[in-house]
Amino acid sequence: MKIATWNVNSLKVRQQHVIDWLAQTRVDVLCLQELKLPDEKFPRAELEAAGYKSWFAGQKTYNGVGILVRAESNFEVDEINVVRNIPGFEDLQQRVIAATVNGVRIISAYFPNGQAPGSEKFAYKMRWLDALRVWLREDMARHPQLALCGDYNIAPDDRDVHDAKAWEGQNLVSPEERAHFVQLIELGLIDAFRKFEQAEKLFTWWDYRMLAFRRNAGLRIDHILLSPELAARCTSCEVDKVPRKWDQPSDHAPVIATIG
């Protein structure tokens, strides 16, 4: 099973990019973030014509998440247990969708950005992360095979930042955010990317400004965390930078984990 995650930064703008990328990679499951469109505008028919079934929680202008499953994989999806947003956490922002795909619990999550430490948006991010962790602990007990995929808006380590000194203490790399990432690891989740030896300066997000992609001035903020049972069967995890080179790209690159 190939599981991927990609913040597309507007599915309306990047719809053809997604379809082309799926045709090239033929991943079994793709988790999407930042759809930026309401449910009624989701291109379900177009994606189905491309060979993928879809489950989504959309929102106009902001947020929105989805899960695409390749029809040819013949995976069973438990329609009854599809979850939108974090259970018990009241939130108008569409940031989470979860589905059980062939026995594997797939969660597509778009973590809040946080804006800046000390801001109200940062406080919301902390509350959201607390609620996510509580739910994950329960969900992992029910689903020993689980993958938490998405744009975490957290660079967990200095290795994940192009210039750690320049970013020190800022949003996305603050001690509070990194502590929350550690707490996810302490639940038993394993960072699929760090399970393998990786080249230095591999990132998943580059600002559109200041030629950041050309200079490789990026951050690794898109992650796939796996439960121990899945991590034991994970044979690779990589960042695909190719779509970031296309015309009008997302500012994020897809991450792909292969489960044997």
PDB file of all heavy atoms in Angstrom, residues 215-235:
ATOM      1  N   ARG A 215      16.179  28.320  -3.780  1.00  0.00           N
ATOM      2  CA  ARG A 215      17.267  28.343  -2.788  1.00  0.00           C
ATOM      3  C   ARG A 215      17.165  27.181  -1.800  1.00  0.00           C
ATOM      4  O   ARG A 215      18.023  27.047  -0.928  1.00  0.00           O
ATOM      5  CB  ARG A 215      17.232  29.672  -2.023  1.00  0.00           C
ATOM      6  CG  ARG A 215      17.490  30.890  -2.858  1.00  0.00           C
ATOM      7  CD  ARG A 215      17.609  32.165  -2.019  1.00  0.00           C
ATOM      8  NE  ARG A 215      16.366  32.494  -1.310  1.00  0.00           N
ATOM      9  CZ  ARG A 215      16.212  32.425   0.000  1.00  0.00           C
ATOM     10  NH1 ARG A 215      17.210  32.008   0.783  1.00  0.00           N
ATOM     11  NH2 ARG A 215      15.068  32.739   0.562  1.00  0.00           N
ATOM     12  N   ASN A 216      16.121  26.384  -1.927  1.00  0.00           N
ATOM     13  CA  ASN A 216      15.825  25.295  -0.989  1.00  0.00           C
ATOM     14  C   ASN A 216      15.714  25.820   0.439  1.00  0.00           C
ATOM     15  O   ASN A 216      16.156  25.178   1.402  1.00  0.00           O
ATOM     16  CB  ASN A 216      16.871  24.175  -1.065  1.00  0.00           C
ATOM     17  CG  ASN A 216      16.364  22.887  -0.405  1.00  0.00           C
ATOM     18  OD1 ASN A 216      15.168  22.597  -0.412  1.00  0.00           O
ATOM     19  ND2 ASN A 216      17.265  22.108   0.168  1.00  0.00           N
ATOM     20  N   ALA A 217      15.103  26.992   0.577  1.00  0.00           N
ATOM     21  CA  ALA A 217      14.871  27.579   1.902  1.00  0.00           C
ATOM     22  C   ALA A 217      13.507  27.125   2.392  1.00  0.00           C
ATOM     23  O   ALA A 217      12.519  27.854   2.317  1.00  0.00           O
ATOM     24  CB  ALA A 217      14.945  29.100   1.818  1.00  0.00           C
ATOM     25  N   GLY A 218      13.453  25.877   2.851  1.00  0.00           N
ATOM     26  CA  GLY A 218      12.166  25.276   3.190  1.00  0.00           C
ATOM     27  C   GLY A 218      12.095  24.756   4.609  1.00  0.00           C
ATOM     28  O   GLY A 218      13.016  24.909   5.421  1.00  0.00           O
ATOM     29  N   LEU A 219      10.951  24.110   4.884  1.00  0.00           N
ATOM     30  CA  LEU A 219      10.709  23.442   6.157  1.00  0.00           C
ATOM     31  C   LEU A 219      10.085  22.078   5.874  1.00  0.00           C
ATOM     32  O   LEU A 219       9.367  21.914   4.886  1.00  0.00           O
ATOM     33  CB  LEU A 219       9.735  24.233   7.038  1.00  0.00           C
ATOM     34  CG  LEU A 219      10.078  25.671   7.422  1.00  0.00           C
ATOM     35  CD1 LEU A 219       8.924  26.277   8.200  1.00  0.00           C
ATOM     36  CD2 LEU A 219      11.354  25.728   8.245  1.00  0.00           C
ATOM     37  N   ARG A 220      10.339  21.122   6.752  1.00  0.00           N
ATOM     38  CA  ARG A 220       9.622  19.836   6.677  1.00  0.00           C
ATOM     39  C   ARG A 220       8.489  19.894   7.690  1.00  0.00           C
ATOM     40  O   ARG A 220       8.688  19.686   8.875  1.00  0.00           O
ATOM     41  CB  ARG A 220      10.566  18.661   6.974  1.00  0.00           C
ATOM     42  CG  ARG A 220       9.897  17.293   6.708  1.00  0.00           C
ATOM     43  CD  ARG A 220      10.847  16.140   6.948  1.00  0.00           C
ATOM     44  NE  ARG A 220      11.080  15.880   8.362  1.00  0.00           N
ATOM     45  CZ  ARG A 220      10.455  14.954   9.078  1.00  0.00           C
ATOM     46  NH1 ARG A 220       9.521  14.178   8.517  1.00  0.00           N
ATOM     47  NH2 ARG A 220      10.743  14.781  10.360  1.00  0.00           N
ATOM     48  N   ILE A 221       7.286  20.187   7.180  1.00  0.00           N
ATOM     49  CA  ILE A 221       6.114  20.314   8.059  1.00  0.00           C
ATOM     50  C   ILE A 221       4.995  19.355   7.669  1.00  0.00           C
ATOM     51  O   ILE A 221       3.959  19.320   8.331  1.00  0.00           O
ATOM     52  CB  ILE A 221       5.587  21.758   8.094  1.00  0.00           C
ATOM     53  CG1 ILE A 221       5.206  22.248   6.691  1.00  0.00           C
ATOM     54  CG2 ILE A 221       6.613  22.690   8.741  1.00  0.00           C
ATOM     55  CD1 ILE A 221       4.564  23.632   6.681  1.00  0.00           C
ATOM     56  N   ASP A 222       5.183  18.591   6.606  1.00  0.00           N
ATOM     57  CA  ASP A 222       4.192  17.602   6.165  1.00  0.00           C
ATOM     58  C   ASP A 222       4.717  16.215   6.553  1.00  0.00           C
ATOM     59  O   ASP A 222       5.836  15.850   6.180  1.00  0.00           O
ATOM     60  CB  ASP A 222       3.974  17.687   4.656  1.00  0.00           C
ATOM     61  CG  ASP A 222       3.528  19.079   4.237  1.00  0.00           C
ATOM     62  OD1 ASP A 222       4.403  19.953   4.039  1.00  0.00           O
ATOM     63  OD2 ASP A 222       2.313  19.294   4.128  1.00  0.00           O
ATOM     64  N   HIS A 223       3.897  15.465   7.277  1.00  0.00           N
ATOM     65  CA  HIS A 223       4.394  14.229   7.880  1.00  0.00           C
ATOM     66  C   HIS A 223       3.405  13.078   7.727  1.00  0.00           C
ATOM     67  O   HIS A 223       2.199  13.288   7.576  1.00  0.00           O
ATOM     68  CB  HIS A 223       4.648  14.453   9.385  1.00  0.00           C
ATOM     69  CG  HIS A 223       5.490  15.643   9.689  1.00  0.00           C
ATOM     70  ND1 HIS A 223       6.830  15.715   9.378  1.00  0.00           N
ATOM     71  CD2 HIS A 223       5.181  16.837  10.278  1.00  0.00           C
ATOM     72  CE1 HIS A 223       7.310  16.893   9.770  1.00  0.00           C
ATOM     73  NE2 HIS A 223       6.326  17.579  10.315  1.00  0.00           N
ATOM     74  N   ILE A 224       3.968  11.873   7.825  1.00  0.00           N
ATOM     75  CA  ILE A 224       3.179  10.650   7.946  1.00  0.00           C
ATOM     76  C   ILE A 224       3.684   9.926   9.187  1.00  0.00           C
ATOM     77  O   ILE A 224       4.824   9.441   9.222  1.00  0.00           O
ATOM     78  CB  ILE A 224       3.316   9.746   6.706  1.00  0.00           C
ATOM     79  CG1 ILE A 224       2.788  10.470   5.456  1.00  0.00           C
ATOM     80  CG2 ILE A 224       2.572   8.427   6.915  1.00  0.00           C
ATOM     81  CD1 ILE A 224       2.973   9.689   4.163  1.00  0.00           C
ATOM     82  N   LEU A 225       2.855   9.912  10.221  1.00  0.00           N
ATOM     83  CA  LEU A 225       3.183   9.161  11.429  1.00  0.00           C
ATOM     84  C   LEU A 225       2.406   7.855  11.410  1.00  0.00           C
ATOM     85  O   LEU A 225       1.211   7.841  11.114  1.00  0.00           O
ATOM     86  CB  LEU A 225       2.832   9.949  12.693  1.00  0.00           C
ATOM     87  CG  LEU A 225       3.579  11.268  12.950  1.00  0.00           C
ATOM     88  CD1 LEU A 225       3.304  11.758  14.376  1.00  0.00           C
ATOM     89  CD2 LEU A 225       5.071  11.134  12.719  1.00  0.00           C
ATOM     90  N   LEU A 226       3.097   6.773  11.736  1.00  0.00           N
ATOM     91  CA  LEU A 226       2.520   5.438  11.643  1.00  0.00           C
ATOM     92  C   LEU A 226       2.490   4.752  13.001  1.00  0.00           C
ATOM     93  O   LEU A 226       3.418   4.901  13.806  1.00  0.00           O
ATOM     94  CB  LEU A 226       3.341   4.576  10.670  1.00  0.00           C
ATOM     95  CG  LEU A 226       3.492   5.100   9.239  1.00  0.00           C
ATOM     96  CD1 LEU A 226       4.462   4.211   8.469  1.00  0.00           C
ATOM     97  CD2 LEU A 226       2.148   5.157   8.537  1.00  0.00           C
ATOM     98  N   SER A 227       1.445   3.966  13.221  1.00  0.00           N
ATOM     99  CA  SER A 227       1.410   3.107  14.401  1.00  0.00           C
ATOM    100  C   SER A 227       2.516   2.060  14.273  1.00  0.00           C
ATOM    101  O   SER A 227       2.994   1.773  13.169  1.00  0.00           O
ATOM    102  CB  SER A 227       0.049   2.433  14.519  1.00  0.00           C
ATOM    103  OG  SER A 227      -0.166   1.559  13.410  1.00  0.00           O
ATOM    104  N   PRO A 228       2.960   1.477  15.394  1.00  0.00           N
ATOM    105  CA  PRO A 228       4.062   0.505  15.334  1.00  0.00           C
ATOM    106  C   PRO A 228       3.823  -0.626  14.345  1.00  0.00           C
ATOM    107  O   PRO A 228       4.747  -1.054  13.644  1.00  0.00           O
ATOM    108  CB  PRO A 228       4.153  -0.005  16.770  1.00  0.00           C
ATOM    109  CG  PRO A 228       3.660   1.134  17.598  1.00  0.00           C
ATOM    110  CD  PRO A 228       2.560   1.762  16.793  1.00  0.00           C
ATOM    111  N   GLU A 229       2.581  -1.121  14.278  1.00  0.00           N
ATOM    112  CA  GLU A 229       2.290  -2.241  13.373  1.00  0.00           C
ATOM    113  C   GLU A 229       2.509  -1.851  11.919  1.00  0.00           C
ATOM    114  O   GLU A 229       3.042  -2.639  11.129  1.00  0.00           O
ATOM    115  CB  GLU A 229       0.848  -2.717  13.592  1.00  0.00           C
ATOM    116  CG  GLU A 229       0.517  -3.994  12.828  1.00  0.00           C
ATOM    117  CD  GLU A 229      -0.831  -4.571  13.226  1.00  0.00           C
ATOM    118  OE1 GLU A 229      -1.172  -4.527  14.425  1.00  0.00           O
ATOM    119  OE2 GLU A 229      -1.525  -5.079  12.330  1.00  0.00           O
ATOM    120  N   LEU A 230       2.099  -0.629  11.548  1.00  0.00           N
ATOM    121  CA  LEU A 230       2.327  -0.177  10.174  1.00  0.00           C
ATOM    122  C   LEU A 230       3.787   0.179   9.942  1.00  0.00           C
ATOM    123  O   LEU A 230       4.355  -0.117   8.884  1.00  0.00           O
ATOM    124  CB  LEU A 230       1.453   1.040   9.864  1.00  0.00           C
ATOM    125  CG  LEU A 230       0.003   0.810   9.460  1.00  0.00           C
ATOM    126  CD1 LEU A 230      -0.616   2.117   8.977  1.00  0.00           C
ATOM    127  CD2 LEU A 230      -0.137  -0.253   8.385  1.00  0.00           C
ATOM    128  N   ALA A 231       4.409   0.830  10.934  1.00  0.00           N
ATOM    129  CA  ALA A 231       5.803   1.246  10.781  1.00  0.00           C
ATOM    130  C   ALA A 231       6.717   0.048  10.550  1.00  0.00           C
ATOM    131  O   ALA A 231       7.696   0.133   9.793  1.00  0.00           O
ATOM    132  CB  ALA A 231       6.253   2.025  12.015  1.00  0.00           C
ATOM    133  N   ALA A 232       6.402  -1.071  11.175  1.00  0.00           N
ATOM    134  CA  ALA A 232       7.218  -2.277  11.003  1.00  0.00           C
ATOM    135  C   ALA A 232       7.188  -2.767   9.566  1.00  0.00           C
ATOM    136  O   ALA A 232       8.112  -3.449   9.114  1.00  0.00           O
ATOM    137  CB  ALA A 232       6.736  -3.368  11.955  1.00  0.00           C
ATOM    138  N   ARG A 233       6.114  -2.422   8.841  1.00  0.00           N
ATOM    139  CA  ARG A 233       5.977  -2.858   7.451  1.00  0.00           C
ATOM    140  C   ARG A 233       6.293  -1.757   6.454  1.00  0.00           C
ATOM    141  O   ARG A 233       6.167  -1.955   5.244  1.00  0.00           O
ATOM    142  CB  ARG A 233       4.543  -3.359   7.222  1.00  0.00           C
ATOM    143  CG  ARG A 233       4.251  -4.645   7.978  1.00  0.00           C
ATOM    144  CD  ARG A 233       2.777  -4.972   8.060  1.00  0.00           C
ATOM    145  NE  ARG A 233       2.006  -4.536   6.915  1.00  0.00           N
ATOM    146  CZ  ARG A 233       0.757  -4.075   6.991  1.00  0.00           C
ATOM    147  NH1 ARG A 233       0.152  -3.980   8.177  1.00  0.00           N
ATOM    148  NH2 ARG A 233       0.115  -3.716   5.910  1.00  0.00           N
ATOM    149  N   CYS A 234       6.703  -0.587   6.944  1.00  0.00           N
ATOM    150  CA  CYS A 234       7.012   0.530   6.056  1.00  0.00           C
ATOM    151  C   CYS A 234       8.397   0.325   5.446  1.00  0.00           C
ATOM    152  O   CYS A 234       9.391   0.173   6.167  1.00  0.00           O
ATOM    153  CB  CYS A 234       6.954   1.841   6.835  1.00  0.00           C
ATOM    154  SG  CYS A 234       7.236   3.305   5.828  1.00  0.00           S
ATOM    155  N   THR A 235       8.465   0.324   4.125  1.00  0.00           N
ATOM    156  CA  THR A 235       9.729   0.040   3.440  1.00  0.00           C
ATOM    157  C   THR A 235      10.401   1.283   2.869  1.00  0.00           C
ATOM    158  O   THR A 235      11.568   1.236   2.496  1.00  0.00           O
ATOM    159  CB  THR A 235       9.496  -0.961   2.297  1.00  0.00           C
ATOM    160  OG1 THR A 235       8.519  -0.431   1.381  1.00  0.00           O
ATOM    161  CG2 THR A 235       9.007  -2.296   2.836  1.00  0.00           C
TER     162      THR A 235
END
